[in-house]
Structures are given as structure tokens and as C-alpha cells.
Amino acid sequence: MTGSPRLLDGKRCGDALKTEIATQAAAVKAVRGRAPHLAAVLVGNDGASKTYVEAKVKACGSVGFRSSLIRLPETITEDELLARVRSLNADPELDGFIVQLPLPAHIDADRILQAIDPKKDVDGFHPQNVGNMVLGLPGFLPATPSGICELLKFYHIETAGKHCVVVGRSNIVGTPISILLSRNAYPGNCTVTLAHSRTKDLPSITRQADILVVAIGKPGFITGDVVKEGAVVVDVGIHRIPDASKKSGFRLEGDVDHPSVRGRCSAITPVPGGVGPMTITSLLMNTLKAAR
Ligand code: GUN
């Protein structure tokens, strides 16, 4: 490719969607007498998780939602956390809530996610919401895959008939985005290949991708030599790389090696400012939906 790729700017897209969310939140408040209310549960002291949860809570304020940040100690037992989930399920003042992942190793995350009331599961992680997504039935879509779809829509990226390669099969991103992009919808109607750690000759697969979604959790994993000329690249990764030249002591990098990929692709999501802000916007969209 000659020239720079188009930047799929998640901040710009997210801000546009947030303006609409704020209008609708005000309408909900006028009818019900209270604003949509999201709670976020954060267990332990992981720095990255704390940053993400605080960003989610701050975003609520920007669209006129009420928010609650519930911080719980690393030492909480699974039963104690289950009891908190049940009390949030029963709280009539709360429209939706999330439990930030990962949870400490002594807690079975599946058990916690399955205890969340599907009607308040604005992360879309409960099996009932996952099943509805697979079947194309109404429910909450998981925030990151849904945010990627909104971003593709905002930039009018053509998807029908394209070969989409998803790298990474997590429950949060890889598996659901592979399902959403293969559905008979827009964005969708892709032919999807879901690649993972046991995929043989991954470069031969990624080089076939018209749309490449990378959610493998390894900084700089996808380099320019494995990307098809003109591909649309969605970088879901976000890693803190120690960097003494930064005031914070770290810089943020994705799963894609942007310097080498930029010259080959036609469009790419930046890191930061690409998928991250879209995840938060989708969470707000789900919370608005729950409030209605
Ligand atoms: N950890 C990483 N991404 C997410 C997310 O979208 N929701 C929650 N709850 N935890 C996460």
C-alpha cells in the first residue's frame, strides 16, 4: 500500500454514539425519574483492571448515567462474591452491572458470571445472552465485539463476502466476534476463520484475511509480513510496556506491530484510541437498553 492507512478512530466513533446515548438517557430519566445506573465490581488491586473500571465509571458520568464502583478485597471468597452478585441482582435501583475480569485464581469466574441476572448482564457474558447472540435473538451483546461492529459500521467498512480471520478464541472477544461477523447482517456475512494457539502455519492463514481481528494477548504479535496488502486490521490488544521515557513509566501497545503493518493495510484501529473506547461505549449502550 502506498500512503497511510485509514485510522478507525474509536474515540471519534465512541463520542458520536455517546451524544445519542446521552439524549436517550435524559429521556429515560424524564420518564422514570432516575437515570440509567451501572455498577462495576472490581476485585483486588490489578492496576490495569482498575484503570479500565475507572474509565467505565467515568464514561457513565459523561452521558448522564449514575454509576457505582464496588471495590472488594483480593481475599474475598467465592461465596462472598456470589452473595454480592445476588444482592446486585435484587437491587431495584440498579439497571446493570459488570464484574471486571480476570478474577483472582481462587474464584471460579464461570460460577460468578452464571449467577448474574441475564437482564442485568450488560457485559453479555451470561450463557443465556451468549446463546441469544449465537441464535441472533434479542439480548446483550458482549461489549468488545459489539464495539468492533459499531466501529466497522461507522467507517462503512464492507464486510459481506470478505474473509475475516480472527486470531484468538477467548470467550470475551475472539469467539463472539467470529460469530457476529459470520451472521447474516451488517456488519457480517463474512467467511470467518478462527485461528488460535494450535493453528498450523498461522501466517498462511492471516495472509488470506481481508479483515484481520487480532485478540491474542501478545504485544506486537502480528507483523507486516503476515498481513495481506490492503487488509482492514482490528487490534484488540492493549499492553503496558515499561518505558522509562514516559512519565507513567509505561507505554501502551497492541497485539499488532503497527510500524510494520501500517504500510500494508488499508485501515487500522490505533492503540490506544481504537477498540478500547468502543468497548466502553458498547457497555453504555447495553446499560441504556437495560434501563429501558
Ligand atoms: N476484562 C477484559 N475485558 C473485559 C470486559 O469487557 N468486561 C469485563 N467484565 N472484564 C473484562
Side-chain angles (χ1 to χ4, degrees):
M1 285 295 286
T2 49
S4 308
R6 206 164 162 211
L7 274 192
L8 306 179
D9 184 339
K11 168 98 178 49
R12 187 171 154 234
C13 173
D15 284 349
L17 292 172
K18 278 198 270 184
T19 303
E20 177 59 24
I21 294 170
T23 305
Q24 299 195 24
V28 167
K29 189 172 178 186
V31 172
R32 292 194 320 176
R34 72 168 179 81
H37 181 193
L38 171 75
V41 177
L42 175 62
V43 179
N45 297 305
D46 178 69
S49 289
K50 187 167 166 279
T51 306
Y52 301 145
V53 167
E54 284 170 354
K56 291 171 184 179
V57 166
K58 192 170 154 216
C60 284
S62 76
V63 293
F65 288 7
R66 196 176 144 201
S67 64
S68 304
L69 173 53
I70 300 165
R71 293 207 59 176
L72 299 170
E74 182 90 24
T75 50
I76 192 168
T77 66
E78 190 172 299
D79 284 343
E80 285 166 339
L81 184 55
L82 277 174
R84 288 304 289 252
V85 166
R86 291 192 186 110
S87 89
L88 295 170
N89 284 343
D91 183 348
E93 294 286 301
L94 193 60
D95 297 297
F97 66 99
I98 64 160
V99 178
Q100 186 66 22
L101 301 177
L103 288 169
H106 67 275
I107 295 176
D108 178 352
D110 286 334
R111 218 177 142 219
I112 301 300
L113 297 179
Q114 286 167 26
I116 297 175
D117 179 345
K119 291 192 289 303
K120 289 192 175 183
D121 170 39
V122 286
D123 251 335
F125 291 168
H126 187 281
Q128 190 173 310
N129 282 316
V130 177
N132 286 339
M133 173 192 66
V134 173
L135 298 171
L137 296 173
F140 293 115
L141 297 177
T144 299
S146 160
I148 294 170
C149 289
E150 290 296 331
L151 193 58
L152 296 175
K153 206 168 17 167
F154 186 78
Y155 283 98
H156 307 289
I157 302 291
E158 255 185 67
T159 58
K162 303 288 181 192
H163 186 185
C164 173
V165 175
V166 178
V167 184
R169 59 179 156 188
S170 72
N171 289 346
I172 295 182
V173 186
T175 295
I177 192 69
S178 73
I179 291 162
L180 291 177
L181 289 178
S182 60
R183 293 197 313 190
N184 184 3
Y186 176 74
N189 281 314
C190 291
T191 302
V192 177
T193 301
L194 180 53
H196 45 74
S197 55
R198 301 289 182 93
T199 296
K200 281 193 185 143
D201 193 7
L202 180 65
S204 74
I205 311 270
T206 56
R207 283 188 197 113
Q208 295 172 39
D210 303 309
I211 299 172
L212 183 60
V213 180
V214 192
I216 191 78
K218 293 181 182 164
F221 182 75
I222 291 290
T223 47
D225 56 313
V226 304
V227 175
K228 181 176 171 175
E229 208 49 61
V232 172
V233 178
V234 177
D235 186 355
V236 181
I238 186 148
H239 308 275
R240 292 177 170 199
I241 310 292
D243 186 339
S245 74
K246 301 279 177 194
K247 214 169 95 189
S248 60
F250 64 84
R251 64 174 190 278
L252 295 173
E253 273 185 17
D255 286 352
V256 171
D257 178 51
H258 287 245
S260 66
V261 169
R262 218 176 281 137
R264 291 188 65 77
C265 60
S266 62
I268 190 165
T269 59
V271 176
V275 172
M278 292 308 301
T279 297
I280 294 181
T281 304
S282 296
L283 180 64
L284 298 176
M285 287 166 76
N286 278 348
T287 304
L288 178 67
K289 192 167 165 183
R292 282 169 161 174

